[in-house]
């Protein structure tokens, strides 16, 4: 059971920051509250009483998104369901619909925010590897006197370990900014005990852009989650693929490398086996999403024999 002495619903970022700065120790910020409510039950957090809760869901400054200069700025209150239903987001962030469909169910997706998922800094968080592949940055705000001061960090620097981030006392995450990958194909692979409502054992994301003929890897983005304390970008494998002809052999060669990077505390052999298959599957699915399925590449290879 979750109880609190005070429950605040600020309407502006200035108000939210002032409340957060003055909040007693042990207070919590919430937006969708999809993590704290399951945690505060018997068997996990047990009966939890907080001095104050600050609900950010009505802060207008944190709502909405915009696309400009090749980047997409997602307000911290953007929820997972929007990646499925908003055509602009689907077009500019092609891996996010695949991530969102794996994320819980319709009701939770309508509440759960991408920013909140990242801030929790779980090694198994679904949202962090896609944002990593999208060159994501986390925008934060705090107060200097009465003035709002903002700063940004790459998500790779923001996540510092399980449950650990670079947020400073009094700061609130205000946005997630990512590259626009319009024209790319996207993919997200996840394994757990069930398709949804499950914590990832391993997840993999791929974004792929090909040449107009669909025969060359022009740009590849790859990231993994669940294989260690923080998600990882596979930059060396991206470089290995970029500019190369698309073939099953080079995908197999690329997917043989990541298993050695599994550094989880448990089930390492299982994760290594899964990772190899997931990287290949993610690349192939992203190719298909980009309109250049691997089967087409194989047919072209045969025609030149």
């Amino acid at each position: 059971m979750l109880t609190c002495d005070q429950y605040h619903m600020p309407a502006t970022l200035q108000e939210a920051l002032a409340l957060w700065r003055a909040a007693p120790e042990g207070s919590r910020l919430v937006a969708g509250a999809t993590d704290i409510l399951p945690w505060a039950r018997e068997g996990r957090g047990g009966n939890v009483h907080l001095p104050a809760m600050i609900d950010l869901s009505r802060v207008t400054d944190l709502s909405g998104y915009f696309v400009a200069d090749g980047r997409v700025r997602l307000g911290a209150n953007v929820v997972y369901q929007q990646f499925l239903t908003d055509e602009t987001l689907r077009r500019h962030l092609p891996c996010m619909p695949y991530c969102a469909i794996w994320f819980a169910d319709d009701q939770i997706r309508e509440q759960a925010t991408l920013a909140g998922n990242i801030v929790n800094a779980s090694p198994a968080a679904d949202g962090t590897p896609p944002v990593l592949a999208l060159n994501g940055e986390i925008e934060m705000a705090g107060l200097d006197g009465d003035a709002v001061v903002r700063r940004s960090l790459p998500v790779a620097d923001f996540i510092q370990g399980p449950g650990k981030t670079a947020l400073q006392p009094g700061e609130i995450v205000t946005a997630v900014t990512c590259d626009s990958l319009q024209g790319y194909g996207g993919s997200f692979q996840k394994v757990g005990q069930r398709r949804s409502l499950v914590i990832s054992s391993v997840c993999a994301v791929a974004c792929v852009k090909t040449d107009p003929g669909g025969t060359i890897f022009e740009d590849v983005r790859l990231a993994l989650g669940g294989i260690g304390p923080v998600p990882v970008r596979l930059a060396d494998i991206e470089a290995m693929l970029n500019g190369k002809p698309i073939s099953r052999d080079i995908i197999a060669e690329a997917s043989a490398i990541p298993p050695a990077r599994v550094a989880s505390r448990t089930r390492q052999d299982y994760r290594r086996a899964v990772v190899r298959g997931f990287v290949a599957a993610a690349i192939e699915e992203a190719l298909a999403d980009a309109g250049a399925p691997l089967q087409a590449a194989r047919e072209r290879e045969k025609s030149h024999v």
Side-chain angles (χ1 to χ4, degrees):
M1 184 175 181
L2 177 65
T3 58
C4 61
D5 294 324
Q6 296 178 314
Y7 192 90
H8 302 284
M9 298 194 74
T12 67
L13 180 59
Q14 184 92 25
E15 183 185 359
L17 287 168
L19 286 167
W20 186 228
R21 181 170 63 181
E25 185 177 354
S27 299
R28 294 287 293 268
L29 292 170
V30 295
T34 57
D35 282 306
I36 194 171
L37 288 175
W39 170 72
R41 69 185 184 200
E42 198 62 40
R44 294 184 71 185
N47 292 325
V48 176
H49 181 80
L50 303 174
M53 294 179 67
I54 301 170
D55 186 337
L56 303 175
S57 61
R58 295 186 182 178
V59 177
T60 55
D61 310 62
L62 306 184
S63 300
Y65 69 87
F66 65 83
V67 182
D69 301 322
R71 298 280 284 176
V72 182
R73 184 185 185 276
L74 304 164
N77 283 339
V78 167
V79 298
Y80 271 89
Q81 191 69 7
Q82 290 175 256
F83 299 116
L84 291 173
T85 58
D86 188 296
E87 287 302 319
T88 299
L89 291 181
R90 290 174 60 89
R91 187 167 64 252
H92 286 277
L93 305 175
C95 58
M96 288 308 301
Y98 294 96
C99 174
I101 199 65
W102 275 100
F103 193 92
D105 59 19
D106 290 349
Q107 290 178 315
I108 293 176
R109 285 193 293 264
E110 289 283 3
Q111 291 290 117
T113 65
L114 174 62
N117 190 221
I118 294 171
V119 168
N120 282 336
S122 167
D126 287 347
T128 311
V131 173
L132 189 62
L134 293 164
N135 288 335
E137 293 188 352
I138 308 302
E139 179 188 290
M140 297 155 277
L143 288 178
D144 183 2
D146 292 328
V148 177
V149 178
R150 300 177 189 265
R151 67 186 182 106
S152 295
L153 282 176
V155 67
D157 297 328
F158 178 78
I159 304 293
Q160 298 182 337
K164 298 178 181 179
T165 73
L167 266 177
Q168 296 298 311
E171 286 187 322
I172 292 174
V173 168
T174 53
V176 180
T177 60
C178 302
D179 285 348
S180 165
L181 296 190
Q182 187 172 8
Y184 286 62
S187 174
F188 182 84
Q189 306 286 324
K190 174 179 174 179
V191 66
Q193 293 179 350
R194 293 173 291 171
R195 177 169 176 82
S196 62
L197 301 174
V198 69
I199 296 174
S200 297
S201 295
V202 177
C203 62
V205 60
C207 296
V208 175
K209 183 180 181 181
T210 72
D211 69 314
T215 62
I216 303 293
F217 286 112
E218 281 199 351
D219 188 31
V220 179
R221 312 281 187 92
L222 299 168
L224 292 171
I227 66 166
V230 296
V232 295
R233 180 85 177 263
L234 304 179
D236 57 331
I237 300 174
E238 296 171 357
M240 168 187 165
L241 294 172
N242 288 339
K244 300 295 196 308
I246 297 168
S247 71
R248 190 171 297 277
D249 286 345
I250 197 168
I251 292 173
E253 184 181 349
S255 64
I257 299 171
R261 298 175 192 178
V262 171
S264 58
R265 291 182 297 175
T266 61
R267 305 181 73 190
Q268 289 191 2
D269 290 342
Y270 169 76
R271 284 182 165 89
R272 290 188 183 104
V274 167
V275 162
R276 181 168 187 160
F278 267 15
V279 171
I283 294 171
E284 291 186 22
E285 186 175 71
L287 282 168
D289 191 48
L294 187 59
Q295 182 63 34
R298 293 181 68 189
E299 293 301 322
R300 285 190 295 271
E301 289 171 4
K302 289 178 183 178
S303 70
H304 288 87
V305 174

